[in-house]
Amino acid sequence: MPQDGKQLVLSARAELITSPDPYCRGIDADASLPHWITVRPLAPTSPGGPHIADLAGGRGWLIFTFTRRHTDPQITVTDAFWA
């Protein structure tokens, strides 16, 4: 992956881990994220399952799961793509 893609993926991961709700459920729930990230469920029938974060207007994406932990929440990226 090119360096600019790596930086964007790392930045997106950091934004998601600090978000109040990394799955961005509800209306305008992703308003706290930067304009270059949009989040949606990978499968609309599984809102608590893996999600996809579209990066830079569709130029790339990453698929992630979120594990809620009281002291140390965890974002696990299972797939990433950059064009």
Side-chain angles (χ1 to χ4, degrees):
M1 183 178 293
Q3 190 60 31
D4 59 340
K6 283 183 190 179
Q7 283 302 111
L8 202 58
V9 166
L10 292 174
S11 295
R13 186 186 161 281
E15 291 290 341
L16 291 169
I17 199 97
T18 58
S19 174
D21 180 10
Y23 279 165
C24 300
R25 294 171 281 227
I27 297 171
D28 292 334
D30 60 354
S32 65
L33 294 176
H35 65 86
W36 49 269
I37 301 175
T38 57
V39 176
R40 60 186 164 81
L42 191 59
T45 57
S46 180
H51 276 57
I52 186 165
D54 293 309
L55 309 175
R59 189 158 175 223
W61 46 259
L62 56 93
I63 297 173
F64 70 96
T65 55
F66 173 69
T67 305
R68 188 174 305 279
R69 297 181 185 171
H70 189 63
T71 57
D72 185 26
Q74 181 179 10
I75 295 284
T76 303
V77 176
T78 57
D79 197 7
F81 173 79
W82 187 256

